[in-house]
Amino acid sequence: MPKVVDHHERRTLIADALLRVAARDGLEAVSLRHVATEAGVTSGMVQHYFRTKDEMMQFALGVVRERNEARITAAVTRLGPAPAPRDFLHAVLAGLLPLDDASRADGLVALAFLAYAAVRPEAGTSLRRDAPQMVAYIADQIRTAQAAGAARAGVDPEAAATGLLAVTEGLGMYLLTAQTTPENAIRTLDAHLAFVFSGS
Amino acid sequence: MPKVVDHHERRTLIADALLRVAARDGLEAVSLRHVATEAGVTSGMVQHYFRTKDEMMQFALGVVRERNEARITAAVTRLGPAPAPRDFLHAVLAGLLPLDDASRADGLVALAFLAYAAVRPEAGTSLRRDAPQMVAYIADQIRTAQAAGAARAGVDPEAAATGLLAVTEGLGMYLLTAQTTPENAIRTLDAHLAFVFSGS
DNA sequence: CGCGTTACATTGCAGTTGTAACGTAAACGG
DNA sequence: CCGTTTACGTTACAACTGCAATGTAACGCG
């Protein structure tokens, strides 16, 4: 194999340029040539690393997903070992919110991809977060807290878990469209957590 | 004024065709000619009623908004006079959810417009629901219920109102992306309402 | 040293896009 | 009855799109 170049590195370089274009001018402005100029390369090179535009989009979508997951795990590890269910959920859900500029840009792109994939189901499979798995996990946390007396006994863990995820998603949309402030989003999330968890 | 034609009727006819195209093939597939063929007219006629594409988009966006508002008011009037705050909120919020095919199609288009407007702020002003007004109204309902002893006294009305709207928005997204079922969405919404309202 | 494979760059092409320009028919006001 | 205004239809055009084709240079392997 002649000419040693890191294939994956080049692809992420191009995908990063794509995401910058998408965050700035919208997904509709993403074209081979625009991405190429944004990345500072020729359109021929882009075409060399992605045989088709859809292939490029799929890859970029994967990059967004990876970054999101990384953000969450970072928020969790920052929490230390064996955190209380409430603190844990707060960290995870707040980590999902587009609070800083970087995650905001990613959120905008994810939103655009969501609309893009709503009609192109084969492209949306990768985007569709494993929500059921997430719901089950959160519900488990709630059950644990209930057993320890830290959460209200009356609540349905599954419904509460879905509600928590939904409220996070909704707050994310409000943040992306500048319909609310980060402080208010956090406050609302905390209020919802207070509904589930009894003490203090 | 020669040739009597209802201007507004023609425009809504074209806008309806636009929305059909957008719901079926995505917003990116919306072009003057596609809309024209979908509406069964010539592209020249479309151009006659909308001098520019953006003007057409704005109008179509307004149509979506009107339909959404009509759906909510219909749900409310179906409720009868002087409903209890909890029933009222249930009707309004459930009316916001894309449960049937018609509102689902509108929801998909609204989602696409949201992503479209996220980068084109001048186009998004019309889409940005008057959230603060909505929050204030819901918060008032909660306060009324609190005074009547029908809602938990401890909850912050503003935060709870924002949370209710956010959970509705999030459930709407889950419904649009087929990540949940209508039954589950309603169940989650009810569970959240039960957090706010105490009795039964 | 070939030489084949890889990594780009350049060019071309057919199709679609938004929009302007021009043409025509019909209805009303005078 | 005539001219102006409105309601379209048709055509043209420059810009852009994704993609295929073709080029060229460089590196590793035999």
Side-chain angles (χ1 to χ4, degrees):
Chain A
M1 50 187 105
K3 210 80 172 281
V4 275
V5 288
D6 187 343
H7 236 92
H8 192 267
E9 182 228 335
R10 294 275 203 239
R11 285 165 78 100
T12 48
L13 183 132
I14 295 174
D16 278 346
L18 187 155
L19 296 181
R20 283 200 303 273
V21 172
R24 177 167 19 94
D25 309 322
L27 203 59
E28 58 174 17
V30 169
S31 74
L32 294 189
R33 299 185 232 275
H34 279 166
V35 171
T37 20
E38 174 73 31
V41 302
T42 65
S43 58
M45 176 169 164
V46 175
Q47 213 174 163
H48 178 68
Y49 284 103
F50 298 103
R51 277 174 308 181
T52 168
K53 184 191 176 183
D54 248 34
E55 194 180 314
M56 181 174 65
M57 302 277 255
Q58 294 277 12
F59 187 86
L61 182 56
V63 170
V64 173
R65 227 166 75 104
E66 281 173 18
R67 279 204 241 166
N68 253 358
E69 288 173 7
R71 252 189 283 272
I72 298 178
T73 59
V76 170
T77 57
R78 206 179 306 126
L79 214 61
R86 178 175 185 166
D87 297 333
F88 177 78
L89 288 184
H90 180 91
V92 169
L93 297 177
L96 240 42
L97 289 177
L99 293 171
D100 55 13
D101 282 351
S103 57
R104 209 184 117 80
D106 280 2
L108 283 175
V109 177
L111 182 65
F113 266 114
L114 205 71
Y116 170 81
V119 188
R120 228 146 343 256
E122 87 282 357
T125 334
S126 157
L127 191 101
R128 205 162 298 158
R129 275 197 268 269
D130 12 41
Q133 180 185 342
M134 202 82 164
V135 168
Y137 196 72
I138 295 182
D140 253 17
Q141 293 281 329
I142 296 177
R143 258 188 285 268
T144 306
Q146 281 177 330
R152 248 190 267 278
V155 311
D156 174 0
E158 257 76 24
T162 309
L164 277 170
L165 275 175
V167 91
T168 306
E169 199 90 24
L171 288 174
M173 294 230 2
Y174 287 152
L175 283 170
L176 288 180
T177 55
Q179 293 189 63
T180 190
T181 63
E183 299 80 34
N184 196 41
I186 292 286
R187 193 169 73 101
T188 307
L189 181 60
D190 280 334
H192 196 163
L193 280 170
F195 281 144
V196 180
F197 294 90
S198 33
S200 130
Chain B
M1 51 189 105
K3 210 84 172 276
V4 274
V5 289
D6 188 343
H7 235 93
H8 192 267
E9 182 227 336
R10 295 272 203 241
R11 286 165 76 101
T12 48
L13 183 133
I14 295 173
D16 278 345
L18 187 155
L19 296 181
R20 284 200 302 274
V21 172
R24 177 166 19 93
D25 308 321
L27 243 195
E28 57 174 17
V30 170
S31 73
L32 293 190
R33 301 186 231 279
H34 279 166
V35 171
T37 16
E38 174 74 31
V41 300
T42 63
S43 57
M45 176 168 163
V46 175
Q47 212 175 161
H48 178 67
Y49 285 102
F50 298 104
R51 279 173 304 180
T52 168
K53 185 192 176 183
D54 248 36
E55 194 180 314
M56 181 174 66
M57 301 277 255
Q58 293 277 11
F59 187 86
L61 181 56
V63 170
V64 173
R65 226 166 78 103
E66 280 174 16
R67 280 203 241 164
N68 252 358
E69 287 175 6
R71 252 189 284 273
I72 298 177
T73 60
V76 170
T77 57
R78 206 180 304 127
L79 213 60
R86 178 175 185 166
D87 297 333
F88 177 79
L89 289 183
H90 180 90
V92 169
L93 297 177
L96 241 42
L97 288 177
L99 292 171
D100 54 13
D101 282 351
S103 57
R104 210 185 116 80
D106 281 1
L108 283 175
V109 177
L111 182 64
F113 266 114
L114 206 69
Y116 169 81
V119 188
R120 228 148 338 262
E122 85 282 359
T125 335
S126 158
L127 191 103
R128 204 160 301 157
R129 274 198 269 271
D130 11 41
Q133 181 184 342
M134 202 84 161
V135 168
Y137 197 71
I138 296 182
D140 253 19
Q141 294 281 329
I142 296 177
R143 257 187 285 268
T144 305
Q146 281 177 329
R152 247 189 268 278
V155 311
D156 173 1
E158 258 75 23
T162 308
L164 277 170
L165 275 175
V167 92
T168 306
E169 199 91 22
L171 287 174
M173 292 229 5
Y174 287 152
L175 283 170
L176 288 180
T177 56
Q179 294 191 61
T180 192
T181 64
E183 300 80 34
N184 197 41
I186 292 286
R187 194 170 72 100
T188 306
L189 181 60
D190 280 334
H192 196 162
L193 280 169
F195 280 145
V196 179
F197 295 90
S198 33
S200 126

